[in-house]
mmCIF file with all atom_site columns, all heavy atoms in Angstrom:
data_model
loop_
_atom_site.group_PDB
_atom_site.id
_atom_site.type_symbol
_atom_site.label_atom_id
_atom_site.label_alt_id
_atom_site.label_comp_id
_atom_site.label_asym_id
_atom_site.label_entity_id
_atom_site.label_seq_id
_atom_site.pdbx_PDB_ins_code
_atom_site.Cartn_x
_atom_site.Cartn_y
_atom_site.Cartn_z
_atom_site.occupancy
_atom_site.B_iso_or_equiv
_atom_site.pdbx_formal_charge
_atom_site.auth_seq_id
_atom_site.auth_comp_id
_atom_site.auth_asym_id
_atom_site.auth_atom_id
_atom_site.pdbx_PDB_model_num
ATOM 1   N N   . THR B 1 37 ? -14.033 12.214 21.610 1.00 0.00 ? 228 THR B N   1
ATOM 2   C CA  . THR B 1 37 ? -14.883 12.457 22.789 1.00 0.00 ? 228 THR B CA  1
ATOM 3   C C   . THR B 1 37 ? -16.300 12.781 22.322 1.00 0.00 ? 228 THR B C   1
ATOM 4   O O   . THR B 1 37 ? -16.518 13.239 21.195 1.00 0.00 ? 228 THR B O   1
ATOM 5   C CB  . THR B 1 37 ? -14.378 13.643 23.643 1.00 0.00 ? 228 THR B CB  1
ATOM 6   O OG1 . THR B 1 37 ? -14.426 14.822 22.824 1.00 0.00 ? 228 THR B OG1 1
ATOM 7   C CG2 . THR B 1 37 ? -12.965 13.409 24.140 1.00 0.00 ? 228 THR B CG2 1
ATOM 8   N N   . ILE B 1 38 ? -17.251 12.550 23.232 1.00 0.00 ? 229 ILE B N   1
ATOM 9   C CA  . ILE B 1 38 ? -18.665 12.796 22.950 1.00 0.00 ? 229 ILE B CA  1
ATOM 10  C C   . ILE B 1 38 ? -19.266 13.532 24.152 1.00 0.00 ? 229 ILE B C   1
ATOM 11  O O   . ILE B 1 38 ? -19.135 13.070 25.283 1.00 0.00 ? 229 ILE B O   1
ATOM 12  C CB  . ILE B 1 38 ? -19.429 11.453 22.781 1.00 0.00 ? 229 ILE B CB  1
ATOM 13  C CG1 . ILE B 1 38 ? -18.769 10.602 21.698 1.00 0.00 ? 229 ILE B CG1 1
ATOM 14  C CG2 . ILE B 1 38 ? -20.911 11.708 22.475 1.00 0.00 ? 229 ILE B CG2 1
ATOM 15  C CD1 . ILE B 1 38 ? -19.083 9.119  21.824 1.00 0.00 ? 229 ILE B CD1 1
ATOM 16  N N   . GLN B 1 45 ? -25.112 18.707 20.908 1.00 0.00 ? 236 GLN B N   1
ATOM 17  C CA  . GLN B 1 45 ? -24.189 17.560 20.913 1.00 0.00 ? 236 GLN B CA  1
ATOM 18  C C   . GLN B 1 45 ? -22.836 18.016 20.366 1.00 0.00 ? 236 GLN B C   1
ATOM 19  O O   . GLN B 1 45 ? -22.776 18.695 19.344 1.00 0.00 ? 236 GLN B O   1
ATOM 20  C CB  . GLN B 1 45 ? -24.737 16.431 20.031 1.00 0.00 ? 236 GLN B CB  1
ATOM 21  C CG  . GLN B 1 45 ? -25.998 15.780 20.599 1.00 0.00 ? 236 GLN B CG  1
ATOM 22  C CD  . GLN B 1 45 ? -26.661 14.855 19.612 1.00 0.00 ? 236 GLN B CD  1
ATOM 23  O OE1 . GLN B 1 45 ? -26.816 15.217 18.437 1.00 0.00 ? 236 GLN B OE1 1
ATOM 24  N NE2 . GLN B 1 45 ? -27.048 13.666 20.057 1.00 0.00 ? 236 GLN B NE2 1
ATOM 25  N N   . PHE B 1 46 ? -21.746 17.632 21.083 1.00 0.00 ? 237 PHE B N   1
ATOM 26  C CA  . PHE B 1 46 ? -20.393 17.986 20.649 1.00 0.00 ? 237 PHE B CA  1
ATOM 27  C C   . PHE B 1 46 ? -19.554 16.713 20.507 1.00 0.00 ? 237 PHE B C   1
ATOM 28  O O   . PHE B 1 46 ? -19.540 15.870 21.404 1.00 0.00 ? 237 PHE B O   1
ATOM 29  C CB  . PHE B 1 46 ? -19.706 18.901 21.682 1.00 0.00 ? 237 PHE B CB  1
ATOM 30  C CG  . PHE B 1 46 ? -20.457 20.172 21.938 1.00 0.00 ? 237 PHE B CG  1
ATOM 31  C CD1 . PHE B 1 46 ? -21.294 20.296 23.047 1.00 0.00 ? 237 PHE B CD1 1
ATOM 32  C CD2 . PHE B 1 46 ? -20.315 21.258 21.071 1.00 0.00 ? 237 PHE B CD2 1
ATOM 33  C CE1 . PHE B 1 46 ? -21.986 21.468 23.290 1.00 0.00 ? 237 PHE B CE1 1
ATOM 34  C CE2 . PHE B 1 46 ? -20.998 22.440 21.316 1.00 0.00 ? 237 PHE B CE2 1
ATOM 35  C CZ  . PHE B 1 46 ? -21.851 22.551 22.420 1.00 0.00 ? 237 PHE B CZ  1
ATOM 36  N N   . LEU B 1 47 ? -18.896 16.599 19.382 1.00 0.00 ? 238 LEU B N   1
ATOM 37  C CA  . LEU B 1 47 ? -17.950 15.487 19.172 1.00 0.00 ? 238 LEU B CA  1
ATOM 38  C C   . LEU B 1 47 ? -16.574 16.087 18.909 1.00 0.00 ? 238 LEU B C   1
ATOM 39  O O   . LEU B 1 47 ? -16.466 17.170 18.338 1.00 0.00 ? 238 LEU B O   1
ATOM 40  C CB  . LEU B 1 47 ? -18.338 14.661 17.940 1.00 0.00 ? 238 LEU B CB  1
ATOM 41  C CG  . LEU B 1 47 ? -19.717 14.017 17.904 1.00 0.00 ? 238 LEU B CG  1
ATOM 42  C CD1 . LEU B 1 47 ? -19.938 13.375 16.528 1.00 0.00 ? 238 LEU B CD1 1
ATOM 43  C CD2 . LEU B 1 47 ? -19.843 12.979 19.005 1.00 0.00 ? 238 LEU B CD2 1
ATOM 44  N N   . VAL B 1 48 ? -15.545 15.366 19.324 1.00 0.00 ? 239 VAL B N   1
ATOM 45  C CA  . VAL B 1 48 ? -14.216 15.680 18.789 1.00 0.00 ? 239 VAL B CA  1
ATOM 46  C C   . VAL B 1 48 ? -13.848 14.543 17.842 1.00 0.00 ? 239 VAL B C   1
ATOM 47  O O   . VAL B 1 48 ? -13.912 13.373 18.219 1.00 0.00 ? 239 VAL B O   1
ATOM 48  C CB  . VAL B 1 48 ? -13.152 15.848 19.889 1.00 0.00 ? 239 VAL B CB  1
ATOM 49  C CG1 . VAL B 1 48 ? -11.755 15.931 19.279 1.00 0.00 ? 239 VAL B CG1 1
ATOM 50  C CG2 . VAL B 1 48 ? -13.447 17.102 20.710 1.00 0.00 ? 239 VAL B CG2 1
ATOM 51  N N   . LEU B 1 49 ? -13.557 14.894 16.610 1.00 0.00 ? 240 LEU B N   1
ATOM 52  C CA  . LEU B 1 49 ? -13.171 13.912 15.609 1.00 0.00 ? 240 LEU B CA  1
ATOM 53  C C   . LEU B 1 49 ? -11.687 14.094 15.295 1.00 0.00 ? 240 LEU B C   1
ATOM 54  O O   . LEU B 1 49 ? -11.217 15.211 15.107 1.00 0.00 ? 240 LEU B O   1
ATOM 55  C CB  . LEU B 1 49 ? -14.013 14.095 14.339 1.00 0.00 ? 240 LEU B CB  1
ATOM 56  C CG  . LEU B 1 49 ? -13.620 13.193 13.152 1.00 0.00 ? 240 LEU B CG  1
ATOM 57  C CD1 . LEU B 1 49 ? -14.877 12.618 12.482 1.00 0.00 ? 240 LEU B CD1 1
ATOM 58  C CD2 . LEU B 1 49 ? -12.786 13.945 12.118 1.00 0.00 ? 240 LEU B CD2 1
ATOM 59  N N   . VAL B 1 56 ? -10.863 18.076 15.437 1.00 0.00 ? 247 VAL B N   1
ATOM 60  C CA  . VAL B 1 56 ? -11.766 19.215 15.256 1.00 0.00 ? 247 VAL B CA  1
ATOM 61  C C   . VAL B 1 56 ? -13.066 18.951 16.014 1.00 0.00 ? 247 VAL B C   1
ATOM 62  O O   . VAL B 1 56 ? -13.490 17.806 16.176 1.00 0.00 ? 247 VAL B O   1
ATOM 63  C CB  . VAL B 1 56 ? -12.051 19.465 13.749 1.00 0.00 ? 247 VAL B CB  1
ATOM 64  C CG1 . VAL B 1 56 ? -12.772 18.275 13.120 1.00 0.00 ? 247 VAL B CG1 1
ATOM 65  C CG2 . VAL B 1 56 ? -12.838 20.758 13.533 1.00 0.00 ? 247 VAL B CG2 1
ATOM 66  N N   . GLN B 1 57 ? -13.674 20.023 16.495 1.00 0.00 ? 248 GLN B N   1
ATOM 67  C CA  . GLN B 1 57 ? -14.968 19.863 17.161 1.00 0.00 ? 248 GLN B CA  1
ATOM 68  C C   . GLN B 1 57 ? -16.092 19.859 16.136 1.00 0.00 ? 248 GLN B C   1
ATOM 69  O O   . GLN B 1 57 ? -16.136 20.693 15.238 1.00 0.00 ? 248 GLN B O   1
ATOM 70  C CB  . GLN B 1 57 ? -15.175 20.996 18.169 1.00 0.00 ? 248 GLN B CB  1
ATOM 71  C CG  . GLN B 1 57 ? -16.564 20.950 18.810 1.00 0.00 ? 248 GLN B CG  1
ATOM 72  C CD  . GLN B 1 57 ? -16.668 21.822 20.037 1.00 0.00 ? 248 GLN B CD  1
ATOM 73  O OE1 . GLN B 1 57 ? -15.980 21.611 21.042 1.00 0.00 ? 248 GLN B OE1 1
ATOM 74  N NE2 . GLN B 1 57 ? -17.524 22.833 19.967 1.00 0.00 ? 248 GLN B NE2 1
ATOM 75  N N   . LEU B 1 58 ? -17.009 18.906 16.295 1.00 0.00 ? 249 LEU B N   1
ATOM 76  C CA  . LEU B 1 58 ? -18.212 18.831 15.459 1.00 0.00 ? 249 LEU B CA  1
ATOM 77  C C   . LEU B 1 58 ? -19.398 19.169 16.358 1.00 0.00 ? 249 LEU B C   1
ATOM 78  O O   . LEU B 1 58 ? -19.483 18.665 17.480 1.00 0.00 ? 249 LEU B O   1
ATOM 79  C CB  . LEU B 1 58 ? -18.398 17.417 14.905 1.00 0.00 ? 249 LEU B CB  1
ATOM 80  C CG  . LEU B 1 58 ? -17.177 16.713 14.302 1.00 0.00 ? 249 LEU B CG  1
ATOM 81  C CD1 . LEU B 1 58 ? -17.588 15.320 13.795 1.00 0.00 ? 249 LEU B CD1 1
ATOM 82  C CD2 . LEU B 1 58 ? -16.600 17.522 13.158 1.00 0.00 ? 249 LEU B CD2 1
ATOM 83  N N   . ILE B 1 72 ? -25.810 10.350 16.502 1.00 0.00 ? 263 ILE B N   1
ATOM 84  C CA  . ILE B 1 72 ? -24.739 10.809 17.397 1.00 0.00 ? 263 ILE B CA  1
ATOM 85  C C   . ILE B 1 72 ? -24.876 10.138 18.756 1.00 0.00 ? 263 ILE B C   1
ATOM 86  O O   . ILE B 1 72 ? -23.887 9.713  19.355 1.00 0.00 ? 263 ILE B O   1
ATOM 87  C CB  . ILE B 1 72 ? -24.767 12.347 17.521 1.00 0.00 ? 263 ILE B CB  1
ATOM 88  C CG1 . ILE B 1 72 ? -24.357 12.981 16.177 1.00 0.00 ? 263 ILE B CG1 1
ATOM 89  C CG2 . ILE B 1 72 ? -23.832 12.824 18.642 1.00 0.00 ? 263 ILE B CG2 1
ATOM 90  C CD1 . ILE B 1 72 ? -24.457 14.496 16.127 1.00 0.00 ? 263 ILE B CD1 1
ATOM 91  N N   . LEU B 1 75 ? -23.149 6.845  19.132 1.00 0.00 ? 266 LEU B N   1
ATOM 92  C CA  . LEU B 1 75 ? -21.695 6.740  18.955 1.00 0.00 ? 266 LEU B CA  1
ATOM 93  C C   . LEU B 1 75 ? -20.968 6.380  20.252 1.00 0.00 ? 266 LEU B C   1
ATOM 94  O O   . LEU B 1 75 ? -21.445 6.667  21.341 1.00 0.00 ? 266 LEU B O   1
ATOM 95  C CB  . LEU B 1 75 ? -21.129 8.063  18.415 1.00 0.00 ? 266 LEU B CB  1
ATOM 96  C CG  . LEU B 1 75 ? -21.518 8.412  16.984 1.00 0.00 ? 266 LEU B CG  1
ATOM 97  C CD1 . LEU B 1 75 ? -20.989 9.796  16.619 1.00 0.00 ? 266 LEU B CD1 1
ATOM 98  C CD2 . LEU B 1 75 ? -20.989 7.365  16.009 1.00 0.00 ? 266 LEU B CD2 1
ATOM 99  N N   . ILE B 1 81 ? -16.236 7.577  11.702 1.00 0.00 ? 272 ILE B N   1
ATOM 100 C CA  . ILE B 1 81 ? -17.348 8.265  11.040 1.00 0.00 ? 272 ILE B CA  1
ATOM 101 C C   . ILE B 1 81 ? -16.852 9.247  9.976  1.00 0.00 ? 272 ILE B C   1
ATOM 102 O O   . ILE B 1 81 ? -15.710 9.678  9.994  1.00 0.00 ? 272 ILE B O   1
ATOM 103 C CB  . ILE B 1 81 ? -18.222 9.054  12.061 1.00 0.00 ? 272 ILE B CB  1
ATOM 104 C CG1 . ILE B 1 81 ? -17.382 10.169 12.722 1.00 0.00 ? 272 ILE B CG1 1
ATOM 105 C CG2 . ILE B 1 81 ? -18.812 8.127  13.117 1.00 0.00 ? 272 ILE B CG2 1
ATOM 106 C CD1 . ILE B 1 81 ? -18.216 11.153 13.523 1.00 0.00 ? 272 ILE B CD1 1
#
Side-chain angles (χ1 to χ4, degrees):
Chain B
T228 62
I229 304 158
Q236 292 170 315
F237 302 98
L238 302 174
V239 170
L240 175 137
V247 63
Q248 175 165 297
L249 314 181
I263 292 175
L266 291 175
I272 63 169

